[in-house]
Amino acid sequence: MPTIQVSTEEMTKQLHFTREIRNWNEAYTATTGRVRTACVRTFGCQMNEHDSEKLSGMLTQMGFLMVPEYSVNEEPKIADLILFNTCCVRENAEEKVYGHLGALKGAKRIKPTMITGVCGCMTEQPHAVEEIRRVYKNVDLVFGTRAAHKLPEYLHQVIFDNKRVLEVSKTEGEVAEGVPVERADDLKAWVTIMYGCNNFCSYCIVPYVRGRERSRKATDILAEVRGLVENGIQEITLLGQNVNSYGKDLEDNDGITDFADLLDLLCRETEIPRIRFMTSHPKDLSDRLIAAIARNKSVCNQLHLPVQSGSSRVLKEMNRKYTREEYLDLVARIRKAVPEITLSTDIIVGFPGETEADFEQTLSLVEQVRYDSAYTFIYSKRVGTPAATREDQVPEDVVKARFDRLLALQNSIGREINDGLVGRTLEVLCEGPSRTNEDRMTGRTEGNKIVNFIGGDGNLRGKMVRVHIDHAQTWSLEGTAEL
Ligand code: SAH
Ligand code: SF4
Ligand code: F3S
């Protein structure tokens, strides 16, 4: 099915609701001298974070003043609108949301006019919407990721019709262009290139909540990146659940056939200094893409390549569509083409039926690949996924012990790799003073390693700085600027 774009009429309709809410907010300010505040709180991944920037963009256009935090018990600091942008990839992500929603019940008693909304991945699940309807009566507004561009319309119903709006998405998803974005950073920016996922890994809820794969048109992506460069953005991260299948759903994409073409286009047509992207599914990582990473200087020598397990048997049951050997071969090809590449991964421990022997295969793969970093997760049952109904769930204590062993191994490898960088000089995009120590600057290397450094005139934010690495830690490097 070709990807459908949200129509211009639909977006114009949303602008109409936006204007009415804006008038409502301006009238309030005229009579009270106060500006209504709104807070969007993000619970999920980078994609979710970027969605929050769009939600904030729409709310700003509606005349709300965005605030970074809210109080649940001090009346003046309870935001007029609180919107939770949720995640459901693991159980603890959902539990966190329910905890915070419970805490907001008291806030609503103190300030009955406040509006509480929940959106994102969690609320793409009918059972979660039902739970909120029943238990969290303080919630006024619910909608899922696929309907996020309709926030103005839903909010309009809550405000002017005094309705409780609890939407369950009805489409597999479309692509909405032209949604305003309120970016959290002026140096680095997220750019979504595709939505959804078609892979249905047997443990994963994402394809159910994000819908089918939909790519944005290359011309729209290029226009966005050009705009970002004009505004001083130094680094972009292209986002998609599986960027390697970019463009496959588009019938006419102005000659851009795949993700490698898109990288070439952005490097050729813009002056963006750094491009990162995530996530790459190993089954679709082509030699064309490897060549594009090697060829384009702006494409960072860094790759996030989730392996999930080192056991071919488990990988098959996960529906990952590659074996341990194929993955290792891929890593070898990447390293041959781009020797300096830093690699990171995602690993799940305790997938149903995982034996000690399977787990040891994961450990040995980690030793063989030597990742710079790894995100390790304890398997979490997700309602509606095939793995959740399996009888052979691994006992909690066994999973925890394996998880700790994996973490210890990865930490020691990460530390060794970082130790190997001591004495080198690396180029760092400076992000300004370190949050923990104002006397030091912080930034990242092309390989995405955090470097805290001394030296410089304190005005290095946004500059590429050559930093001599003096010392290594497990998660970061320390150095001195060479000016
Ligand atoms: N599309 C990306 C990642 C999506 S979710 C990819 O395919 O790599 C991010 C990570 O969460 C996954 O890579 C996986 O390691 C983890 N994850 C997904 N579902 C999970 C589950 N049910 N339990 C534990 N971890 C999970
Ligand atoms: Fe989930 Fe697999 Fe899709 Fe990644 S590729 S989002 S792990 S189903
Ligand atoms: Fe991201 Fe969580 Fe949704 S990981 S895609 S916010 S389920």
Side-chain angles (χ1 to χ4, degrees):
M1 263 248 304
T3 289
I4 300 169
Q5 292 228 347
V6 175
S7 65
T8 332
E9 293 78 49
E10 174 64 36
M11 296 310 281
T12 309
K13 190 170 98 187
Q14 297 306 322
L15 271 182
H16 161 77
F17 293 123
T18 298
R19 265 193 297 273
E20 293 211 340
I21 297 173
R22 191 177 183 96
N23 291 342
W24 174 74
N25 274 327
E26 282 171 358
Y28 175 80
T29 303
T31 51
T32 64
R34 236 195 114 245
V35 182
R36 283 202 183 92
T37 54
C39 182
V40 177
R41 191 165 176 165
T42 311
F43 290 84
C45 61
Q46 290 84 353
M47 182 103 46
N48 197 241
E49 242 174 69
H50 184 43
D51 289 345
S52 289
E53 293 182 330
K54 293 185 194 165
L55 295 163
S56 299
M58 287 187 271
L59 290 168
T60 304
Q61 214 176 32
M62 288 178 228
F64 288 96
L65 171 71
M66 299 310 296
V67 289
E69 279 165 38
Y70 59 84
S71 161
V72 291
N73 48 30
E74 283 176 69
E75 211 273 345
K77 290 193 198 147
I78 300 176
D80 294 283
L81 187 152
I82 294 173
L83 187 56
F84 285 176
N85 192 13
T86 62
C87 171
C88 58
V89 77
R90 284 169 291 275
E91 194 177 353
N92 55 8
E94 288 196 322
E95 277 166 0
K96 233 195 272 173
V97 172
Y98 286 125
H100 286 289
L101 277 182
L104 280 184
K105 284 183 177 176
K108 184 97 171 177
R109 277 191 291 272
I110 300 170
K111 183 172 182 167
T113 55
M114 76 170 289
I115 298 172
T116 307
V118 188
C119 63
C121 290
M122 189 175 127
T123 44
E124 283 285 350
Q125 307 170 104
H127 69 85
V129 178
E130 179 54 24
E131 171 86 0
I132 294 172
R133 191 188 63 75
R134 227 169 26 88
V135 183
Y136 299 91
K137 301 233 159 42
N138 54 320
V139 174
D140 309 283
L141 170 62
V142 171
F143 57 95
T145 52
R146 285 173 254 173
H149 61 278
K150 291 172 112 176
L151 170 64
E153 179 175 349
Y154 298 144
L155 202 52
H156 191 273
Q157 288 172 12
V158 171
I159 295 167
F160 297 103
D161 306 340
N162 219 353
K163 257 174 73 177
R164 196 176 184 213
V165 178
L166 305 175
E167 276 287 320
V168 176
S169 292
K170 292 167 200 73
T171 69
E172 282 295 354
E174 300 156 335
V175 171
E177 292 295 344
V179 173
V181 186
E182 184 81 1
R183 296 195 181 263
D185 196 89
D186 59 3
L187 218 57
K188 304 199 283 186
W190 310 113
V191 177
T192 303
I193 61 163
M194 58 189 302
Y195 302 88
C197 180
N198 287 355
N199 289 311
F200 292 95
C201 301
S202 64
Y203 49 82
C204 185
I205 195 76
V206 171
Y208 304 88
V209 296
R210 287 264 170 186
R212 297 292 60 76
E213 279 176 1
R214 287 101 67 199
S215 303
R216 289 177 67 200
K217 288 192 173 150
T219 46
D220 291 327
I221 298 169
L222 179 59
E224 180 173 352
V225 176
R226 279 195 175 127
L228 292 170
V229 174
E230 269 165 32
N231 285 314
I233 291 285
Q234 301 276 325
E235 177 180 311
I236 54 166
T237 302
L238 306 175
L239 294 177
Q241 295 300 342
N242 177 16
V243 291
N244 302 332
S245 48
Y246 172 76
K248 288 184 184 161
D249 54 309
L250 294 176
E251 282 176 342
D252 171 17
N253 198 20
D254 295 305
I256 302 301
T257 58
D258 64 3
F259 184 54
D261 279 351
L262 181 69
L263 287 180
D264 284 343
L265 176 79
L266 297 178
C267 291
R268 194 174 60 236
E269 300 288 331
T270 78
E271 297 287 317
I272 187 79
R274 278 185 174 180
I275 302 183
R276 303 184 193 279
F277 56 87
M278 64 189 306
T279 300
S280 276
H281 195 307
K283 79 176 163 66
D284 300 315
L285 202 149
S286 65
D287 287 334
R288 272 174 59 80
L289 177 57
I290 297 175
I293 301 171
R295 156 170 82 231
N296 288 301
K297 208 189 154 295
S298 304
V299 177
C300 291
N301 291 344
Q302 177 237 329
L303 191 63
H304 184 59
L305 195 64
V307 68
Q308 313 298 357
S309 167
S311 153
S312 293
R313 194 189 67 79
V314 172
L315 287 170
K316 186 161 192 344
E317 292 185 1
M318 286 177 161
N319 193 29
R320 290 290 288 181
K321 301 198 171 81
Y322 54 85
T323 62
R324 171 195 178 89
E325 291 70 31
E326 283 163 350
Y327 184 92
L328 288 171
D329 179 61
L330 178 62
V331 168
R333 276 186 284 139
I334 295 164
R335 286 217 163 114
K336 186 155 177 257
V338 193
E340 286 269 294
I341 200 140
T342 62
L343 284 180
S344 57
T345 199
D346 291 348
I347 299 172
I348 297 178
V349 179
F351 181 80
E354 182 190 74
T355 62
E356 175 62 23
D358 290 321
F359 176 65
E360 281 170 10
Q361 293 258 293
T362 298
L363 292 180
S364 86
L365 180 131
V366 166
E367 274 175 341
Q368 220 169 313
V369 175
R370 293 181 65 79
Y371 294 105
D372 290 83
S373 64
Y375 298 88
T376 49
F377 305 108
I378 286 182
Y379 168 75
S380 172
K381 264 193 203 181
R382 301 287 68 211
V383 176
T385 63
T389 50
R390 285 178 58 151
E391 303 274 313
D392 51 355
Q393 303 288 329
V394 185
E396 220 172 285
D397 54 334
V398 175
V399 181
K400 181 74 180 61
R402 285 180 190 164
F403 182 82
D404 291 345
R405 280 159 70 197
L406 175 62
L407 202 63
L409 172 65
Q410 177 52 43
N411 285 351
S412 75
I413 293 172
R415 176 63 196 257
E416 279 167 23
I417 294 177
N418 284 352
D419 279 341
L421 294 170
V422 173
R424 297 258 312 262
T425 294
L426 302 175
E427 197 166 71
V428 172
L429 173 58
C430 181
E431 294 171 20
S434 147
R435 237 175 273 156
T436 49
N437 180 351
E438 286 265 317
D439 298 333
R440 298 190 309 178
M441 293 283 129
T442 192
R444 284 184 189 252
T445 65
E446 186 181 337
N448 213 20
K449 288 187 187 283
I450 298 171
V451 181
N452 296 309
F453 61 97
I454 50 173
D457 58 4
N459 194 17
L460 294 174
R461 184 172 155 79
K463 304 239 163 63
M464 294 286 182
V465 185
R466 289 172 59 76
V467 179
H468 181 268
I469 306 301
D470 304 319
H471 186 69
Q473 298 191 333
T474 308
W475 309 112
S476 63
L477 301 165
E478 284 169 21
T480 311
E482 287 182 354
L483 296 168

